[in-house]
Amino acid sequence: MTHIKYFLMGIACIAFTCTSLAVNNDPNYEKTELGIKLSLKNANIEIQFYTPSMVRVIKTPKNSSFKKESLSVVLKPKKTPFKIEEEKNELTLKSERLEIAINTQTGNISYTLPDDSLLLKEQTGSPLFTPFKDVDQDTYTVSQSFSLDPKETIYGLGILQNGKMSQRDLEVKMIQANREDYIPFFQSVKGYGLFWDNYSPTTFSDNTNATSFTSEVGDGIDYYFMYGGNADGVIANMRQLTGQAPMFPLWTYGYWQSKERYKSQEETVGVVKKYRDLGVPLDGIIQDWQYWGDNYHWNAMEFLNEEFPNPQKMVDDIHALNAHIIISIWASFGPKTQPYKELEAGNMLFNFTTWPQSGKSDWPPNMDYPSGVRVYDPYNPKARDIYWKYLNKGLFSLGIDGWWMDSTEPDHLDIKPEDFDEKTYLGSFRKVRNAFPLMTVGGVYKHMRETTSDKRVFILTRSAFAGQQRYAANTWSGDTEASWKTLKDQISSGLNFSLTGIPYWNSDIGGFFIWEFKDKLDDPEYRELYARWLQFATFTPMMRSHGADAPREIYQFGKKGEPVYDALEKYIDLRYSLLPYIYSEAWQITNRQSSLMRALVMDFPKDEKVLDLNDQYMFGHSFLVAPVCKSMYTEDKKENFQKEGYRKVYLPKGTEWFDYWTGERFSGGQTINKKAPIDVLPLYIKAGSIVPVGPKVDYAEEKDWSNLQINIYPGTDAEFTLYEDENDNYNYENGAYSEIKFIWNNDKQELTIKNRKGNFDGMLKERSFQLHIETTKTTKQITYKGEKMVIAF
């Protein structure tokens, strides 16, 4: 289909003449309040300053109109002081932080810093505008090429399970899919980012000749260039442009259990009870599909399955066990459901093929009994209203705590070219295809926020688009298969996704499908893989076990005293001990545009060895995580947990590092061999870190943080701000939270605890801190009452 498309584009070029920016010896421009408008022979260019470090570029064919309300961008341009300088064949716009030069002959734009350092430049490549007939609309296929430095590393583009850290030398067809979530945004190690604001199927290409975006449909080229100085600065710009990430409830950072699927309310509640009986921490259970019954009632948003006779009791029983439940909902409906009937009456359902195809549960699908399931039109505000009406009535009213929004790509099977001609509220499906997850997730978030402020929105979703961080969504990497390669690929995919500005990502612990392991959980190598995957997930924004083919509860992997079981329990406990650290880092995301999963380039951009390192990362600002991504302890399908296995770990230069498990100190800039038995994930703490450690609990809010251990890793000065609030409402948006800042002075060997800032209902007025210095193993216990303290060591 792709080859046919470009062949037709070639015919269009012959018939209608593709448009590049032609030479113009007499440029005609006007200064606007935000920038300039420049008229060339065959096209118009408009540059708008949004901030001193961010500009929007719009290019349109001559004598065409361009009106667009962005689905991703929420920032309104701010009036920015700038000046214009004219030279032969060039106009330069200068703000406080950026200089944008336009070649008035070619129309190409270059971006430099005030010190003349070149960041990025456009280049003349494929035609900018190729006439394209989108159903009954005359429009264009749009393209823009750029020149990057040969050794320049770039990051982002979404979830690409290609094992690459730097996204150079590849071509990507960006159409949302189960395991690939595309964001047309990349950022450079040089400290800039570029967001291509287009929602149609798009090709990103990078090779020795050029780096380009080409989108099938666009009335014009529309992109944003931003300079942040470093990765954090670029992400801050992207979130300023497309929306900030709200706080999740504290309980979402605990451990989550799921499988495909729990088949009765007795089974679902029983899993939570079993965890409580074992004393293994758990905060959430997930109810997967078919609680609605057969496929003709697909996604009915109510319990019609006879195995769930009293859903209110199920929810109440889970809550009584101090756990939470989220539930599977989809972007499609079966023909016998109430939502389907109302959406069909309003012509708000699409006709392309989706999953499930059959009304029967057999595999392969029995097409003698088609399901009739259809995807709804989330671009339509009335459709989003209908979606929430039934969600609120059938599920939220029961006390369901959050939403597992599956198939938010959506599932699109047996793809035909005419499928993209489907009419949506905003035009053809082709025109807005990739923004589908943004619209459907956004609809649920906005409606729930309008319904209550007493409960924070939490959405687990399978797909994402630029700006989705503002909708309280945590995106998982789709239906992966269990393999060591897949586990390793999750690392770079999660990091690149975070580098697009969307901070919350997770994966199915153990992989969704267990195709490679015929004996499933009886296969020792799979048990080893599962343990390593869970260790990795301990240091991701959501720790969630899920999959098909075999159950994944901890008690399926043995019992206490056995190697795999003990390893799993150890890391679930570790996750809970780090909740004060994780929740405080989450506040840095909401309040200071930080990221939880941090590619090493974010903190060590001058260390060339980390620029393309795809199997290590920082978790928050203190933990260096090096997941084990190959089998060490199962040879010939036999367990041998006594042998010695090692994992090579590179410690970035410019700092010292502490082995989390032993306290041993290492200089940065070296690769070490870390012994990694089945219960050891190589972890290192950056010198100059302060890490709070919480109590042993069975669920996140079981105990308050009145007695925390504060671990100090000296070697250089350090700061950490402990954040607390009411855990699950939006009062923090009105100032109901507290911050306690810890400052370590390395020269004086002195810790300052600043005056507590803020207040909220239930805030601890007095508490104990056990202050622990890692180098000397010195510990002091103090009582803190909210006033400044200075403690010398």
Side-chain angles (χ1 to χ4, degrees):
M1 185 180 73
T2 301
H3 296 299
I4 295 173
K5 178 190 74 177
Y6 285 108
F7 174 72
L8 294 175
M9 284 171 53
I11 295 175
C13 287
I14 296 171
F16 299 104
T17 309
C18 297
T19 304
S20 299
L21 292 186
V23 172
N24 187 6
N25 295 320
D26 185 20
N28 178 21
Y29 79 92
E30 64 172 295
K31 183 177 181 181
T32 67
E33 186 175 341
L34 300 175
I36 66 166
K37 291 181 178 180
L38 176 66
S39 178
L40 298 184
K41 182 178 180 181
N42 293 326
N44 298 318
I45 301 175
E46 182 172 3
I47 296 177
Q48 302 173 345
F49 276 101
Y50 269 53
T51 71
S53 59
M54 189 188 314
V55 295
R56 180 187 186 187
V57 175
I58 303 169
K59 297 183 179 182
T60 54
K62 201 76 169 180
N63 301 320
S64 67
S65 61
F66 185 83
K67 293 181 180 179
K68 174 181 171 182
E69 185 173 342
S70 177
L71 301 179
S72 294
V73 173
V74 295
L75 180 67
K76 301 300 181 186
K78 301 176 181 179
K79 190 172 182 180
T80 300
F82 68 94
K83 60 181 180 179
I84 300 175
E85 293 183 358
E86 297 186 48
E87 295 183 11
K88 183 179 180 181
N89 300 330
E90 190 169 87
L91 292 173
T92 302
L93 286 70
K94 295 184 177 183
S95 74
E96 179 185 356
R97 299 203 67 194
L98 272 182
E99 296 185 3
I100 300 100
I102 311 165
N103 186 307
T104 56
Q105 288 194 311
T106 65
N108 289 340
I109 300 171
S110 61
Y111 302 89
T112 59
L113 296 176
D115 65 1
D116 293 330
S117 300
L118 177 65
L119 297 172
L120 180 69
K121 62 181 178 181
E122 296 179 349
Q123 72 174 49
T124 303
S126 57
L128 299 182
F129 314 108
T130 303
F132 183 83
K133 192 80 168 180
D134 184 24
V135 194
D136 57 354
Q137 297 292 316
D138 290 322
T139 183
Y140 302 91
T141 291
V142 294
S143 182
Q144 179 65 62
S145 299
F146 303 89
S147 293
L148 273 62
D149 294 341
K151 294 185 178 181
E152 183 179 352
T153 52
I154 62 172
Y155 312 94
L157 301 182
I159 296 176
L160 280 66
Q161 305 209 32
N162 57 12
K164 292 172 67 71
M165 194 61 240
S166 176
Q167 304 288 24
R168 297 298 304 267
D169 191 28
L170 79 159
E171 181 171 291
V172 180
K173 309 294 187 185
M174 293 184 161
I175 303 177
Q176 306 291 23
N178 182 317
R179 297 191 297 174
E180 289 82 30
D181 299 334
Y182 296 113
I183 316 293
F185 170 90
F186 70 83
Q187 62 163 290
S188 165
V189 69
K190 295 166 76 171
Y192 71 82
L194 191 144
F195 171 46
W196 179 260
D197 193 13
N198 188 290
Y199 325 118
S200 70
T202 295
T203 297
F204 171 84
S205 176
D206 176 80
N207 53 48
T208 55
N209 297 319
T211 303
S212 64
F213 285 103
T214 302
S215 294
E216 288 188 12
V217 178
D219 295 330
I221 289 168
D222 187 6
Y223 74 84
Y224 295 80
F225 179 91
M226 58 198 76
Y227 179 70
N230 55 34
D232 281 305
V234 174
I235 287 171
N237 275 325
M238 188 59 175
R239 296 212 195 121
Q240 184 183 15
L241 183 68
T242 63
Q244 302 296 345
M247 287 291 287
F248 287 140
L250 175 64
W251 50 265
T252 65
Y253 295 101
Y255 176 69
W256 283 83
Q257 186 62 60
S258 178
K259 76 170 184 179
E260 192 282 302
R261 61 184 168 87
Y262 297 125
K263 297 182 179 180
S264 70
Q265 70 181 70
E266 181 181 6
E267 183 183 10
T268 304
V269 175
V271 171
V272 182
K273 287 180 177 178
K274 183 70 172 178
Y275 271 86
R276 293 289 178 255
D277 290 343
L278 291 170
V280 176
L282 177 77
D283 258 273
I285 191 82
I286 304 178
Q287 181 58 57
D288 205 344
W289 60 332
Q290 290 190 350
Y291 59 88
W292 51 71
D294 60 60
N295 289 350
Y296 300 113
H297 290 89
W298 185 266
N299 195 35
M301 294 181 172
E302 56 181 320
F303 287 86
L304 302 175
N305 187 327
E306 61 185 11
E307 296 298 327
F308 296 84
N310 192 341
Q312 184 65 70
K313 184 178 186 303
M314 179 181 74
V315 174
D316 292 344
D317 287 347
I318 290 169
H319 288 166
L321 290 165
N322 298 298
H324 297 81
I325 179 171
I326 68 175
I327 197 163
S328 172
I329 56 175
W330 290 63
S332 54
F333 295 95
K336 293 187 178 181
T337 64
Q338 294 302 312
Y340 181 103
K341 294 172 183 176
E342 188 167 349
L343 290 163
E344 184 184 37
N347 196 26
M348 303 174 196
L349 294 170
F350 298 139
N351 291 308
F352 57 75
T353 304
T354 192
W355 192 84
Q357 293 168 279
S358 173
K360 290 184 170 291
S361 301
D362 308 335
W363 188 261
N366 185 341
M367 294 312 297
D368 290 335
Y369 301 92
S371 70
V373 173
R374 294 167 67 188
V375 173
Y376 88 114
D377 180 1
Y379 307 96
N380 189 324
K382 290 184 179 179
R384 297 194 297 268
D385 291 344
I386 293 168
Y387 193 96
W388 174 255
K389 179 176 74 172
Y390 289 99
L391 184 59
N392 186 28
K393 176 184 176 182
L395 297 176
F396 191 51
S397 63
L398 298 175
I400 297 292
D401 297 296
W403 313 112
W404 182 11
M405 298 188 69
D406 210 335
S407 186
T408 47
E409 310 82 51
D411 274 311
H412 187 180
L413 309 178
D414 302 333
I415 299 175
K416 301 180 287 294
E418 58 267 27
D419 290 352
F420 294 94
D421 295 341
E422 287 275 340
K423 185 178 181 181
T424 80
Y425 183 79
L426 296 179
S428 74
F429 188 47
R430 179 181 297 104
K431 183 177 181 180
V432 293
R433 170 68 184 90
N434 285 337
F436 188 99
L438 180 70
M439 303 306 292
T440 189
V441 169
V444 171
Y445 173 82
K446 289 178 179 177
H447 280 96
M448 186 168 163
R449 283 301 310 261
E450 291 168 358
T451 302
T452 180
S453 291
D454 295 332
K455 194 176 191 63
R456 291 181 196 166
V457 181
F458 178 69
I459 296 171
L460 173 64
T461 182
R462 199 170 76 183
S463 192
F465 194 72
Q468 201 157 304
Q469 70 279 351
R470 65 183 185 254
Y471 294 143
N474 192 321
T475 305
W476 95 92
S477 57
D479 296 341
T480 55
E481 74 282 354
S483 73
W484 292 100
K485 179 183 183 303
T486 303
L487 170 57
K488 185 177 180 180
D489 289 349
Q490 300 311 293
I491 301 170
S492 55
S493 69
L495 294 174
N496 273 301
F497 185 69
S498 296
L499 284 162
T500 67
I502 307 178
Y504 290 109
W505 174 95
N506 70 103
S507 67
D508 292 344
I509 295 175
F512 182 73
F513 295 111
I514 314 181
W515 291 330
E516 187 176 310
F517 302 91
K518 293 182 180 179
D519 295 328
K520 312 305 180 190
L521 271 58
D522 291 330
D523 189 318
E525 187 178 355
Y526 179 72
R527 292 198 295 273
E528 182 187 10
L529 171 64
Y530 185 86
R532 295 305 193 184
W533 206 315
L534 184 135
Q535 291 168 8
F536 162 59
T538 305
F539 296 91
T540 64
M542 186 180 187
M543 188 182 187
R544 181 186 59 87
S545 173
H546 178 66
D549 303 327
R552 312 294 175 88
E553 299 81 21
I554 187 173
Y555 45 85
Q556 309 289 350
F557 293 87
K559 59 185 178 181
K560 201 171 185 66
E562 296 178 355
V564 174
Y565 181 100
D566 287 352
L568 300 178
E569 184 178 27
K570 175 180 176 178
Y571 282 85
I572 296 172
D573 281 336
L574 176 59
R575 174 74 172 200
Y576 278 84
S577 73
L578 293 177
L579 285 182
Y581 172 81
I582 294 170
Y583 201 55
S584 298
E585 287 282 350
W587 174 240
Q588 296 302 310
I589 292 172
T590 296
N591 192 47
R592 299 185 65 183
Q593 296 82 47
S594 186
S595 299
L596 195 50
M597 282 187 76
R598 302 176 59 80
L600 294 181
V601 67
M602 299 184 73
D603 296 297
F604 308 98
K606 295 182 180 180
D607 188 340
E608 291 186 0
K609 289 187 177 180
V610 310
L611 300 186
D612 201 19
L613 193 58
N614 66 354
D615 62 355
Q616 298 178 203
Y617 63 100
M618 297 294 291
F619 185 67
H621 291 81
S622 299
F623 283 84
L624 174 69
V625 185
V628 175
C629 298
K630 65 178 182 179
S631 177
M632 291 183 179
Y633 293 99
T634 49
E635 294 179 351
D636 301 323
K637 299 299 182 181
K638 294 180 181 180
E639 293 179 353
N640 180 7
F641 295 115
Q642 305 307 313
K643 64 175 284 191
E644 292 189 346
Y646 291 84
R647 205 290 199 189
K648 289 186 177 181
V649 182
Y650 177 71
L651 301 176
K653 64 184 180 182
T655 187
E656 292 187 318
W657 298 91
F658 291 85
D659 185 315
Y660 177 79
W661 304 109
T662 67
E664 188 177 358
R665 198 167 177 174
F666 297 89
S667 297
Q670 63 172 317
T671 298
I672 62 172
N673 246 355
K674 170 63 180 174
K675 187 176 180 180
I678 189 65
D679 68 335
V680 172
L681 164 67
L683 290 174
Y684 294 84
I685 308 293
K686 185 173 66 174
S689 292
I690 299 173
V691 179
V693 177
K696 173 74 171 71
V697 293
D698 286 339
Y699 55 93
E701 295 185 53
E702 182 184 18
K703 299 175 184 177
D704 61 31
W705 295 347
S706 57
N707 192 352
L708 297 181
Q709 179 166 311
I710 308 298
N711 291 333
I712 301 165
Y713 296 84
T716 185
D717 294 344
E719 290 186 4
F720 184 84
T721 299
L722 179 68
Y723 172 83
E724 295 170 288
D725 61 21
E726 296 170 20
N727 295 334
D728 191 5
N729 58 43
Y730 287 98
N731 291 342
Y732 76 88
E733 292 182 342
N734 299 315
Y737 63 88
S738 73
E739 294 178 307
I740 301 173
K741 190 170 187 177
F742 298 81
I743 301 174
W744 171 254
N745 186 309
N746 199 64
D747 290 337
K748 295 181 178 181
Q749 295 287 287
E750 184 178 270
L751 181 71
T752 299
I753 308 177
K754 305 285 282 185
N755 290 328
R756 180 179 54 228
K757 292 184 178 180
N759 191 30
F760 61 91
D761 287 346
M763 184 182 73
L764 295 168
K765 304 298 182 183
E766 181 178 314
R767 66 207 306 164
S768 294
F769 289 133
Q770 311 231 359
L771 309 177
H772 176 78
I773 308 298
E774 182 60 30
T775 47
T776 62
K777 305 300 181 183
T778 304
T779 299
K780 289 186 178 183
Q781 183 163 328
I782 64 162
T783 299
Y784 176 75
K785 297 182 179 181
E787 297 177 349
K788 180 180 177 180
M789 299 181 70
V790 180
I791 302 96
F793 288 86

